[in-house]
Amino acid sequence: MIKILFICLGNICRSPLAEFYFKDLVAKHNLSAEFYIESAATSYEETGNPVHPGTRKKLAAAGISCAGKTARCMEREDYRKFDYLIGMDSMTTVSMMRILGGDPKGKVSKLLDFTERTGQDIADPWYTGNFDRTYEDVKEGCEALLQDCLLRL
Ligand code: 4NP
């Protein structure tokens, strides 16, 4: 089983988008049993809050539900629980490293590192208002991530 934690600042816009897009993607490949997928925040700002309506709308248009998801903050313990800890931008990975205290097993990356756009960030629609662009980037990242995971199965 491959365990993946997607992470962003608030866990209401980008990381839930990645969580539910990726869950749907693995389901379409009949691989749900091979994965455990979650998302979390690097801040307590939105703890307990539901997914942002902008993200919900993009997922719903693709026929994907994120019902029941509420934001939670990541913890140091998540490092042991997950194989991949994937941040959405550099600010996220800096905060992740602070929370985790290091990355001895090389589990931390950014979602676009799996694409040909290594090192690039996924813009935060909380600030940009552009959920379309973020959706396209998350989709590209998730599709490339799946290819990476398939090599491990
Ligand atoms: P996210 O967007 O990190 O993609 O979930 C944000 C959501 C909330 C806040 C910041 C970013 N906030 O400051 O409350």
Side-chain angles (χ1 to χ4, degrees), residues 8-14 45-46 124 126-127:
C8 63
L9 177 58
N11 193 213
I12 60 166
C13 297
R14 294 165 294 171
E45 210 64 45
E46 301 286 345
D124 192 343
W126 174 264
Y127 300 108

Side-chain angles (χ1 to χ4, degrees), residues 7-16 41-43 45-46 52 55 88-89 91-92 122-127 131 134:
I7 301 149
C8 63
L9 177 58
N11 193 213
I12 60 166
C13 297
R14 294 165 294 171
S15 61
T42 56
S43 78
E45 210 64 45
E46 301 286 345
H52 190 285
T55 287
M88 295 297 135
D89 60 17
M91 193 172 93
T92 310
I122 293 184
D124 192 343
W126 174 264
Y127 300 108
F131 284 87
T134 294

Side-chain angles (χ1 to χ4, degrees), residues 1 6-7 11-12 14 23 40-41 64 66 68-69 72 90 102 116 120 128 143 149:
M1 166 152 318
F6 293 107
I7 301 149
N11 193 213
I12 60 166
R14 294 165 294 171
K23 279 179 175 165
I64 304 169
C66 56
K69 166 65 185 169
R72 74 143 171 116
S90 295
E116 287 178 356
Q120 288 191 26
T128 66
E143 277 155 12
C149 291

Side-chain angles (χ1 to χ4, degrees), residues 20 24 56 59-60 62-68:
F20 290 95
D24 183 69
R56 244 184 300 153
L59 286 168
I64 304 169
S65 169
C66 56

